[in-house]
Amino acid sequence: MSATFEVKPAPAAPAPAPGPTVRKPPRTSRRTQARRSLRRHWQLYLLVVVPLAYFVIFKYVPITNAVIAFKNYSPIKGPWGSDWVGFRNFELFFQNPVFWTLVKNTFLLSVYTVLASFPIPIILAIALNEIRNGRFKKTVQLVTYAPYFISTVVVVSMTILVLSPRLGFVNDAIGLFGVPSIDFLGRPDYFRHIYVWSDVWQTTGYSAVIYLAALSGIDPALHESARIDGASRLQRILHVDLPGIMPTAVIILVLGVGNIMSIGFEKAFLLQNPLNTAQSEIIATYVYKTGLLNADFSMATAIGLFNSVINLFLLLAVNFAAKRITGNGLWS
Amino acid sequence: MRETKTDRIFLIGVKIMLWIALILVALPLVYIVANSFSSPAAVSAGRVLLLPVEPSIRAYQEAFSDPLIMKGYLNSFIYAAGGTLISVTLTIAIAYPLSRRTFFGRNVIMSLLIFTMLFSGGLIPTYLVVQDLGMLNTRWAMVIPSAIGVWQVIIARTFFRSTIPDELYEAATIDGASDLRFLWSIVLPLSKPVIAVIALMYAIFQWNSYFDALIYLKDPGLYPLQIVLRNVLILNQFGGTGSQDLAQQLEQQQLANVLKYALIVISSLPVLIIYPFVARHFTKGVMVGAVKG
């Protein structure tokens, strides 16, 4: 599919048409179409020059720069002039004792995030959809949506303050039950829970919006006939609402899995402290430390590349599976 | 049709659940605000829960008189305003042609853009580009490398395609309008809602971002608010010169505690103030973005 839809053929050229004499083919070739489009709409092509340059420079040049993963990068020689070392950086990384810890931490953190932040917005959206439009519904939506707009730095600070052993209200609350106060961020075991649930707190309201849109797109006649057949509210949710939002849910799940290994650097890095690194060191934070703090550019790039490739592979695999199972995928 | 008994019970259950969700989300927010308006002593004793104790605006006075924090605030405004202007201009410049069926190669270009969402060179290769362009430690590093979001391009393109009919273009052409003229005088005025949405997305993204600053900026004079916040809130780098007596040190410590809460409120305020006004449009934008195409 592409530009076979010329709105109308170019009008008889005012100047004598360049090139050979006018044939009258039933269909013009793509090349001719392109040339015509360029001549008539040169202003549109002019518009995209700068944005395209942006993508080339800041997205595609970095992809070619990633060649330094296979080199011993020297700032003087530049990415292409540096000496090849083959897969040595990768081998060194795989042999590094931290390798498995990093992969495990990244993987567990991401899977946990996807598992927790996938169903909860759906539940919220369905619950909101059940109650009649009114102030209560609006309030819940407005409030649950709000944390999405708060910056990661602030969310992490809030988390730290709220969980603080001396002053935070969580410890005050569990203190009421006689539990001694816990230094949540100092204990590696708690890191994943803190990360995931603060994430759920921040994004649930936002994600629910998409499902609410999908729910409002369900044909009311379906609900009506289900009611006439005597379906209860719960049955209608299970048999009308859930199937109705399936396509949306699948896309969101696929995207979530696609990010499974590229899990947010920002948050893990901010929540990290020397006490919890056993579980909080993930590939992204390690890349940052190797690359920018230790200035080992080649190694950091190799690790990042390893991550991106696994990511892409996971995304394609899940998209394929989703299409097979449900008929919906990211692209059709 | 009458609701059955089980349905009514179910509905009550749903409402209870929503109340719980509401409280869980709101509680930390209320807690932070309450603390920020309490006296430093009360905060340090952990006596504040939902209402300010010994109400005081001491923390806010302190925050607003701190040069580092104010500088960060100003920088963030510069980055948000400048970045949004650049981002919106570039996004429209690519989204509009991509929405036109007569634009040859639009599918190829779209695929190239979407690919960058799935695969990237990574942190260091991008850093090298920014370095080679001489942008390290300049304000440009904050607004240029993250100028265009593919998601925003998709939203804008979908909007143009679904609301600007081809007939309109043809009519304008007959009246002698060029493509640029048509975009400027007809498309843009008709597209105010979507422009507002993407401008807001970019502005909030820019206001909240700290990662670019962390890797590209060294000069504290260029730091945006989020980096200043990180230093104060998470790394605890604030105040406390060693030469004071004990009482003063204690007071400094208490002040530093309450200052954190005030800073959280101050930094989130601009975003949260505009949020209720734009939430509805924002929601539409999210929904457009969720539609495939």
Side-chain angles (χ1 to χ4, degrees):
Chain A
M1 47 182 261
S2 78
T4 36
F5 287 115
E6 271 280 68
V7 170
K8 48 185 174 183
T21 46
V22 190
R23 289 174 295 147
K24 33 174 199 169
R27 299 181 115 195
T28 45
S29 73
R30 288 178 65 89
R31 186 180 297 235
T32 321
Q33 281 181 357
R35 214 181 299 133
R36 268 187 198 159
S37 168
L38 192 62
R39 200 168 49 229
R40 278 192 62 188
H41 300 292
W42 59 272
Q43 291 181 329
L44 295 182
Y45 295 88
L46 196 68
L47 271 179
V48 301
V49 168
V50 177
L52 272 188
Y54 165 83
F55 279 97
V56 170
I57 294 171
F58 290 100
K59 302 291 168 186
Y60 283 94
V61 172
I63 291 177
T64 64
N65 271 352
V67 69
I68 67 171
F70 305 96
K71 295 194 163 210
N72 181 14
Y73 177 70
S74 133
I76 301 152
K77 294 180 183 167
W80 287 99
S82 300
D83 305 324
W84 292 98
V85 294
F87 283 90
R88 201 186 67 193
N89 290 316
F90 292 89
E91 281 161 20
L92 282 175
F93 176 52
F94 298 151
Q95 285 157 14
N96 191 325
V98 299
F99 172 72
W100 283 112
T101 318
L102 289 181
V103 170
K104 191 179 117 194
N105 284 347
T106 310
F107 188 73
L108 287 179
L109 192 62
S110 323
V111 171
Y112 189 3
T113 310
V114 171
L115 288 183
S117 57
F118 178 64
I120 293 177
I122 299 183
I123 296 171
L124 178 67
I126 288 178
L128 282 170
N129 197 45
E130 285 299 302
I131 61 172
R132 240 177 273 114
N133 262 312
R135 194 176 290 171
F136 181 56
K137 183 177 178 178
K138 283 214 180 94
T139 312
V140 175
Q141 255 196 292
L142 205 67
V143 171
T144 52
Y145 197 19
Y148 179 76
F149 292 91
I150 299 173
S151 75
T152 314
V153 174
V154 167
V155 170
V156 169
S157 323
M158 283 175 66
T159 312
I160 293 173
L161 287 170
V162 162
L163 294 177
S164 137
R166 254 179 349 101
L167 305 171
F169 75 70
V170 174
N171 269 309
D172 290 348
I174 62 174
L176 295 178
F177 300 99
V179 182
S181 73
I182 302 168
D183 179 11
F184 288 98
L185 283 153
R187 299 262 299 265
D189 301 348
Y190 287 113
F191 176 80
R192 278 177 206 135
H193 305 297
I194 296 170
Y195 181 99
V196 169
W197 294 105
S198 61
D199 213 57
V200 168
W201 179 80
Q202 195 181 7
T203 58
T204 296
Y206 174 77
S207 314
V209 169
I210 296 170
Y211 292 112
L212 273 172
L215 284 169
S216 68
I218 294 173
D219 186 356
L222 287 175
H223 273 285
E224 211 47 53
S225 43
R227 277 171 82 164
I228 289 164
D229 288 348
S232 70
R233 276 177 178 268
L234 186 62
Q235 281 171 323
R236 277 183 281 132
I237 289 174
L238 291 177
H239 301 292
V240 180
D241 286 342
L242 279 184
I245 59 176
M246 257 308 261
T248 313
V250 168
I251 288 175
I252 293 191
L253 188 63
V254 171
L255 283 173
V257 175
N259 282 326
I260 230 166
M261 299 295 277
S262 65
I263 185 114
F265 162 87
E266 301 206 347
K267 208 165 150 192
F269 182 69
L270 290 170
L271 276 171
Q272 203 170 62
N273 64 42
L275 297 174
N276 64 22
T277 39
Q279 294 201 2
S280 66
E281 191 80 295
I282 59 174
I283 294 180
T285 56
Y286 191 74
V287 166
Y288 170 77
K289 288 174 187 166
T290 313
L292 290 177
L293 302 185
N294 296 338
D296 191 347
F297 282 18
S298 284
M299 177 55 94
T301 306
I303 301 170
L305 200 60
F306 163 78
N307 201 17
S308 300
V309 170
I310 291 195
N311 230 340
L312 188 63
F313 176 75
L314 275 175
L315 179 80
L316 296 177
V318 172
N319 190 47
F320 178 78
K323 249 162 74 179
R324 270 297 176 82
I325 297 166
T326 67
N328 297 297
L330 276 186
W331 44 85
S332 36
Chain B
M1 197 179 276
R2 274 194 62 227
E3 298 260 308
T4 64
K5 201 171 177 186
T6 47
D7 274 0
R8 259 175 298 165
I9 293 170
F10 183 73
L11 195 62
I12 291 170
V14 165
K15 281 189 180 157
I16 291 173
M17 214 180 72
L18 286 176
W19 270 107
I20 294 174
L22 185 67
I23 291 168
L24 282 180
V25 175
L27 199 63
L29 299 172
V30 174
Y31 173 77
I32 299 287
V33 175
N35 267 287
S36 77
F37 283 108
S38 298
S39 76
V43 171
S44 296
R47 285 191 280 133
V48 186
L49 190 54
L50 296 177
L51 287 172
V53 176
E54 299 161 22
S56 135
I57 51 162
R58 184 84 174 76
Y60 288 92
Q61 289 170 336
E62 188 72 16
F64 281 114
S65 62
D66 185 275
L68 217 60
I69 293 168
M70 283 301 103
K71 182 83 186 158
Y73 224 75
L74 182 69
N75 281 335
S76 278
F77 268 114
I78 296 173
Y79 299 141
T84 304
L85 190 68
I86 295 174
S87 296
V88 170
T89 311
L90 293 181
T91 303
I92 291 173
I94 192 159
Y96 175 67
L98 286 178
S99 75
R100 288 278 298 270
R101 291 195 304 196
T102 43
F103 187 79
F104 200 83
R106 66 192 193 288
N107 290 323
V108 177
I109 292 178
M110 207 58 225
S111 314
L112 284 176
L113 301 199
I114 287 174
F115 180 72
T116 67
M117 289 173 104
L118 307 178
F119 189 80
S120 74
L123 174 69
I124 301 295
T126 311
Y127 179 86
L128 288 178
V129 170
V130 176
Q131 188 182 42
D132 288 345
L133 292 170
M135 284 186 183
L136 283 191
N137 212 13
T138 68
R139 291 190 192 276
W140 296 113
M142 290 299 293
V143 292
I144 301 293
S146 57
I148 309 180
V150 178
W151 202 243
Q152 280 75 4
V153 174
I154 295 174
I155 291 174
R157 187 187 71 142
T158 311
F159 182 91
F160 292 141
R161 211 159 49 177
S162 57
T163 53
I164 315 285
D166 282 347
E167 290 76 15
L168 201 58
Y169 171 72
E170 278 162 30
T173 321
I174 289 166
D175 289 344
S178 66
D179 280 314
L180 280 182
R181 181 64 202 252
F182 179 67
L183 172 62
W184 184 255
S185 314
I186 295 176
V187 176
L188 290 187
L190 286 175
S191 308
K192 279 179 194 146
V194 79
I195 294 173
V197 167
I198 61 173
L200 218 94
M201 286 177 153
Y202 282 124
I204 289 174
F205 171 80
Q206 196 57 256
W207 183 264
N208 286 342
S209 85
Y210 87 100
F211 185 50
D212 285 352
L214 182 72
I215 55 180
Y216 298 135
L217 299 182
K218 293 227 157 50
D219 176 5
L222 299 177
Y223 282 170
L225 186 61
Q226 300 299 333
I227 291 282
V228 179
L229 286 181
R230 170 176 172 257
N231 293 344
V232 176
L233 294 171
I234 297 175
L235 306 180
N236 283 316
Q237 294 167 355
F238 186 78
T241 43
S243 61
Q244 297 144 325
D245 61 61
L246 225 64
Q248 262 181 325
Q249 265 184 27
L250 182 69
E251 204 196 304
Q252 271 292 324
Q253 184 54 48
Q254 291 186 340
L255 196 59
N257 278 336
V258 68
L259 185 74
K260 291 183 176 178
Y261 295 98
L263 271 184
I264 288 178
V265 176
I266 294 173
S267 70
S268 309
L269 215 52
V271 173
L272 290 179
I273 285 176
I274 38 177
Y275 155 69
F277 299 102
V278 295
R280 212 158 38 90
H281 296 297
F282 218 86
T283 309
K284 270 189 210 140
V286 175
M287 280 159 12
V288 170
V291 175
K292 272 201 290 182

